[in-house]
Amino acid sequence: MFSLPRCSALRWRPSTSSGELRTVFRFRFTRPQVPKLAHSFSQASRPQETQQPKASAWIFIPGALLVLGGAGVLAYNYNQPFRHTTLAVVRCSRVAEAAILGAIDYKLTFAKSYNSEEEKAEAYSECHTRSARRVLKALLANGGIFIKLGQHMASVAVLPREWTSTMRPLQDQCEPTAYEDLEKMFISDMGTSIAEYFEEFDPKPIGVASLAQVHVGRLKGSGERVAVKLQHPHLQEFCEIDMEMVEVSLGWIKHWFPEFEFTWLGEEMRENLPKEMNFVHEKRNAERAMADFENIRTSLYIPQVKEAKKRILVMEYIQGGRVDDLVYLSDHNIDRNKVSLELARIFCQMVHINGWFHADPHPGNLLIRPAHPGSKSPYNFEIVLLDHGLYFDLDTALRINYSKWWLALIAPATPETLADRKKYAKLVGNIDEDLYPVFEAAITGRAALEGSWEDVDRESAPPTIPRARSMIDLSAQTEEEMEAIRNAVVQKEGLLLSVFDVLRRVPRRVLMVLKLNDLTRSLDRALMTTHSTIRIFLITAKYCTFAVWLDESQRLVSEMRNKGLSGMSLGLLWDYFWVWWRYEKMYRSLELAEWWMDTGARLVTAKAWVRGLFTVGGLQGAHRAAAGLA
């Protein structure tokens, strides 16, 4: 048997590289009779040899990391699935972290005991603010459609004010896309460059939103000035990923914290974002809205669309001011009271009569300008409605039940009326009796009416706040009432969870109606109108009355036609007459109430004019005071 000579050099040393090991073996076996001097020389040279393996290890590890990093960069830039997976993990982790930390924060905050109600209210408010800021940070970091998600949260009236106020800056936090990227998208979608399509094109956008930005240009040939809406190119690539990650993150929250469920936000994104990101769909919406108001004398104006692609929209350019710009209204001699009332009429017509309404209302989507020659506006101004990417429809049953619920809110509180309010709240919003007060407060924007809260209102609201018997009886909203509404959600854990429950139950289209109601109320306040705070509720009541009359009269007429003259009975004729009389009585009484309130509003304006004439100085001072500017 072959045997190796015993030699200490044949011991295994892990730090020795394979190449060096082969050298050592080769050196020992090819020269078995090494003189002692040579052997000593070899041993003397070993310190130099033993340093080499350490240097190789330090070079190998960074080198491997560099190779892996380079491979990762190449895969990220040239392999779309890898890039999508990486971004999904990063973006999803941001949202999940903010959401889970917020849910834990709420759990711990609500579980603590406090020495006083003031301390408890402060702790709850701070918890709302912390959680909202975490979510805001994640949404800003992700950008794109997450900005849209935050903007929607800012407009949900039943969320705590700490959430809505924290999310509100997202309206102005949208970064513009570089011109070079827009040029590439324009060539891809239109088959020509921007310079070839337009005679002039301003590369600086006049507005930047979460999904798109708007530029001003002039068409070649006609020279007509147009507004050009261009979608952010990166949205299309990551839209599906973002929607998936939102649904996954919200699903985790629902699993671990069932009471803090926000899956409805993910469902809404999944349904609505594809519609908003298709500008051809927006063109069809604008054309349908124009057709709905074609035979109505209104101040509403919708810009004409010149050309639409999925990511590019060229439309008529409109120059005007914001509807709540009091200086602009004063300079053009526009009555701010009439502006508020026209806004209410436009949106009531959409919701209660047309059953198809603009679902992304905010002051940035509304312009006002002096009425042009030939305008069908009954006043000296036109209200321009922009951004028609998202509309919702209301089927006939939902639309009529919603109108009947408003009429029940306006009627005096009787046992029958209170029963109707809760009955129609169930039909409209899937709201049971225990959640009814929260839903009513969200719809009306006020502390609930008499008989709504029952025992709850004595615990949560100061006794000095009177409970109106109906919407018509509501007095001007006091600061005390506003503070009570703001604090109710902050101070009571159960009420906060009720808000979440309302958001889960209420159909999305009804939540969008809540946004419309909130818009008309907030604009009425921003315009500093001189009429009563319930003036716009009277307009809602008139449209609800008309909607119910149309539905009932059409049903009776259809029944008469089916039965023919031979089958027509006095009972049907009496029913028709009774429906007509009830409608006329209600409608005329509302018109009388409107006249009375408008007369009072004119007196308030006249007093302001006289005050400005003497205190501010001259006719100019009188005009400014009457316009709410002095």
Side-chain angles (χ1 to χ4, degrees):
M1 181 181 290
F2 179 77
S3 62
L4 293 175
R6 296 182 64 181
C7 177
S8 61
L10 292 177
R11 290 196 299 267
W12 172 253
R13 293 185 297 273
S15 62
T16 306
S17 66
S18 60
E20 293 166 333
L21 191 60
R22 285 196 300 270
T23 302
V24 173
F25 275 112
R26 187 167 55 250
F27 181 79
R28 297 301 180 208
F29 290 129
T30 56
R31 297 182 179 229
Q33 293 86 21
V34 178
K36 189 173 182 180
L37 181 62
H39 181 75
S40 301
F41 178 79
S42 175
Q43 293 293 333
S45 65
R46 286 189 60 77
Q48 184 176 359
E49 291 178 332
T50 56
Q51 294 174 2
Q52 185 64 28
K54 294 181 180 179
S56 299
W58 282 106
I59 292 173
F60 174 77
I61 294 175
L65 292 175
L66 184 63
V67 171
L68 289 175
V73 171
L74 290 174
Y76 182 86
N77 289 320
Y78 297 102
N79 187 284
Q80 191 178 71
F82 180 82
R83 179 171 69 254
H84 285 180
T85 302
T86 303
L87 287 173
V89 170
V90 173
R91 292 156 75 85
C92 187
S93 63
R94 291 187 188 127
V95 177
E97 178 187 14
I100 292 174
L101 288 177
I104 294 173
D105 197 356
Y106 275 115
K107 283 275 190 179
L108 295 177
T109 302
F110 290 157
K112 290 181 182 178
S113 58
Y114 300 94
N115 297 325
S116 64
E117 286 298 321
E118 291 75 15
E119 182 182 349
K120 181 179 178 181
E122 183 179 358
Y124 281 21
S125 179
E126 289 174 356
C127 179
H128 289 315
T129 302
R130 286 194 303 270
S131 300
R133 286 175 178 171
R134 289 190 196 101
V135 174
L136 175 66
K137 182 179 178 182
L139 297 181
L140 287 173
N142 284 350
I145 64 175
F146 287 90
I147 302 292
K148 190 75 175 178
L149 181 65
Q151 291 173 350
H152 174 65
M153 293 174 67
S155 63
V156 178
V158 293
L159 285 178
R161 65 168 179 166
E162 288 84 358
W163 276 89
T164 56
S165 61
T166 300
M167 296 297 164
R168 196 161 290 126
L170 287 174
Q171 300 286 355
D172 305 315
Q173 292 287 341
C174 304
E175 294 293 329
T177 297
Y179 179 81
E180 294 75 16
D181 295 333
L182 295 176
E183 172 77 8
K184 292 177 184 177
M185 182 187 72
F186 199 91
I187 293 174
S188 172
D189 290 17
M190 301 290 286
T192 183
S193 67
I194 291 177
E196 292 171 341
Y197 191 91
F198 297 101
E199 186 178 295
E200 295 177 9
F201 186 87
D202 188 351
K204 184 178 180 180
I206 60 173
V208 182
S210 56
L211 302 184
Q213 60 193 59
V214 179
H215 296 254
V216 178
R218 289 188 183 275
L219 294 175
K220 272 199 172 178
S222 66
E224 182 181 358
R225 202 176 185 192
V226 292
V228 187
K229 186 175 180 180
L230 301 171
Q231 190 176 119
H232 300 305
H234 66 277
L235 290 180
Q236 199 69 40
E237 181 179 4
F238 300 117
C239 177
E240 185 64 28
I241 300 174
D242 289 345
M243 287 191 292
E244 288 286 350
M245 77 175 70
V246 167
E247 290 176 346
V248 170
S249 300
L250 297 177
W252 289 346
I253 298 171
K254 179 180 179 180
H255 177 74
W256 294 106
F257 307 98
E259 64 270 38
F260 294 100
E261 185 198 340
F262 290 96
T263 52
W264 56 273
L265 285 173
E267 294 167 1
E268 184 166 316
M269 285 179 61
R270 173 69 68 180
E271 179 182 356
N272 297 329
L273 270 174
K275 299 176 183 178
E276 293 188 82
M277 293 176 63
N278 186 348
F279 293 165
V280 176
H281 180 75
E282 179 172 346
K283 175 188 177 183
R284 289 196 292 265
N285 286 346
E287 291 172 345
R288 178 175 171 180
M290 293 173 65
D292 281 350
F293 283 84
E294 185 176 3
N295 298 319
I296 300 173
R297 193 182 180 199
T298 176
S299 60
L300 175 67
Y301 186 84
I302 297 174
Q304 294 181 350
V305 176
K306 305 296 181 182
E307 186 166 1
K309 299 291 183 181
K310 186 174 182 179
R311 297 187 293 175
I312 299 172
L313 190 69
V314 182
M315 54 190 163
E316 177 185 4
Y317 177 75
I318 303 293
Q319 194 164 10
R322 283 173 58 109
V323 291
D324 56 355
D325 186 344
L326 294 177
V327 175
Y328 184 91
L329 299 181
S330 175
D331 292 343
H332 293 84
N333 199 30
I334 296 174
D335 188 336
R336 62 189 189 277
N337 284 4
K338 293 177 180 177
V339 173
S340 175
L341 300 182
E342 272 295 277
L343 284 168
R345 292 188 187 104
I346 289 169
F347 291 126
C348 282
Q349 175 73 29
M350 288 183 172
V351 171
H352 297 283
I353 307 301
N354 299 343
W356 196 73
F357 63 95
H358 192 291
D360 189 21
H362 57 79
N365 284 342
L366 291 164
L367 296 177
I368 192 164
R369 67 175 184 178
H372 288 194
S375 170
K376 63 178 183 179
S377 172
Y379 304 112
N380 65 337
F381 60 84
E382 289 180 331
I383 295 174
V384 183
L385 185 59
L386 306 172
D387 194 356
H388 300 268
L390 186 60
Y391 273 73
F392 275 103
D393 63 331
L394 297 173
D395 60 63
T396 301
L398 179 59
R399 178 173 58 85
I400 299 304
N401 285 331
Y402 180 64
S403 297
K404 288 181 178 179
W405 186 50
W406 261 102
L407 292 178
L409 290 174
I410 290 166
T414 63
E416 293 77 13
T417 300
L418 294 176
D420 282 345
R421 292 176 185 175
K422 295 174 182 179
K423 167 189 171 183
Y424 290 117
K426 177 66 176 178
L427 294 173
V428 169
N430 193 30
I431 296 299
D432 295 326
E433 189 168 342
D434 55 335
L435 291 175
Y436 175 79
V438 178
F439 187 50
E440 182 188 284
I443 287 286
T444 62
R446 303 293 299 270
L449 304 176
E450 181 182 310
S452 298
W453 287 89
E454 297 176 350
D455 294 337
V456 180
D457 75 331
R458 288 193 288 273
E459 300 174 5
S460 61
T464 54
I465 297 179
R467 295 295 179 193
R469 300 180 68 241
S470 72
M471 295 294 294
I472 301 298
D473 296 334
L474 285 174
S475 58
Q477 193 173 37
T478 63
E479 182 59 34
E480 185 182 15
E481 181 185 0
M482 293 172 67
E483 191 65 23
I485 295 173
R486 287 194 291 260
N487 290 338
V489 174
V490 175
Q491 293 176 355
K492 290 187 173 293
E493 175 188 0
L495 191 53
L496 175 65
L497 298 181
S498 295
V499 169
F500 292 155
D501 203 5
V502 167
L503 292 174
R504 282 196 298 269
R505 292 175 179 230
V506 175
R508 299 284 74 83
R509 50 195 21 83
V510 177
L511 277 182
M512 296 302 107
V513 173
L514 288 181
K515 289 176 66 175
L516 277 177
N517 290 339
D518 188 59
L519 174 72
T520 53
R521 288 194 300 264
S522 62
L523 284 176
D524 189 66
R525 291 191 298 268
L527 288 166
M528 299 179 65
T529 54
T530 59
H531 52 230
S532 170
T533 54
I534 66 169
R535 179 65 178 85
I536 57 176
F537 293 149
L538 294 182
I539 291 178
T540 303
K542 287 180 67 176
Y543 277 87
C544 291
T545 301
F546 186 59
V548 173
W549 149 250
L550 283 179
D551 179 68
E552 292 181 344
S553 62
Q554 288 173 1
R555 176 180 57 81
L556 290 171
V557 168
S558 176
E559 190 174 349
M560 291 178 185
R561 287 175 178 172
N562 290 335
K563 291 185 176 181
L565 292 176
S566 59
M568 187 180 299
S569 64
L570 291 177
L572 279 177
L573 292 175
W574 172 255
D575 289 343
Y576 186 88
F577 172 78
W578 175 247
V579 167
W580 170 82
W581 172 250
R582 189 172 55 188
Y583 159 71
E584 284 290 329
K585 181 182 177 182
M586 181 68 175
Y587 200 87
R588 301 310 168 192
S589 63
L590 289 171
E591 283 188 327
L592 180 61
E594 282 186 321
W595 174 85
W596 179 256
M597 290 184 183
D598 289 344
T599 301
R602 284 190 288 269
L603 289 175
V604 173
T605 303
K607 290 178 182 179
W609 190 92
V610 173
R611 175 179 55 81
L613 183 66
F614 294 102
T615 60
V616 181
L619 293 176
Q620 184 63 26
H623 178 74
R624 288 180 56 82
L629 297 173

